[in-house]
Amino acid sequence: TFLLINALQRDPSLAHVVGGNAPDKVATVTARYEQLGVKALARDEINRYSRRALDTLNTLNLAPDFHHRFERLITALISRDS
């Protein structure tokens, strides 16, 4: 949703492609996301929220084992390709 909203704000004509049934629709939309810079924008937002999560985690008084588990979870979520 984040990608689509930001892409449509930059190029409203993309709605025609998204609403269509072309066999190469996914590849076309993905390429447009890249061209419009919304994939990089999404990555920047992921990094910003991830830093906030890690900063917040570091303020909590947790046992080291729990802290490490949460840190691994945050890192796994950052690293996944969605």
Side-chain angles (χ1 to χ4, degrees):
T1 304
F2 179 88
L3 293 171
L4 180 59
I5 290 170
N6 282 280
L8 289 172
Q9 287 173 344
R10 287 169 170 74
D11 182 6
S13 70
L14 186 62
H16 177 72
V17 177
V18 172
N21 289 323
D24 62 342
K25 174 178 154 178
V26 173
T28 301
V29 171
T30 302
R32 287 298 294 145
Y33 284 175
E34 194 72 47
Q35 292 168 351
L36 294 169
V38 295
K39 287 182 91 172
L41 180 65
R43 178 54 57 189
D44 290 345
E45 285 295 302
I46 290 167
N47 289 336
R48 187 170 68 85
Y49 279 103
S50 299
R51 279 192 304 276
R52 283 181 59 190
L54 287 169
D55 289 346
T56 301
L57 178 62
N58 289 329
T59 66
L60 301 176
N61 186 20
L62 296 174
D65 182 53
F66 286 114
H67 185 279
H68 183 67
R69 287 182 192 187
F70 281 116
E71 194 171 55
R72 283 194 338 239
L73 174 62
I74 292 167
T75 302
L77 291 172
I78 295 168
S79 301
R80 72 186 181 127
D81 191 24
S82 51

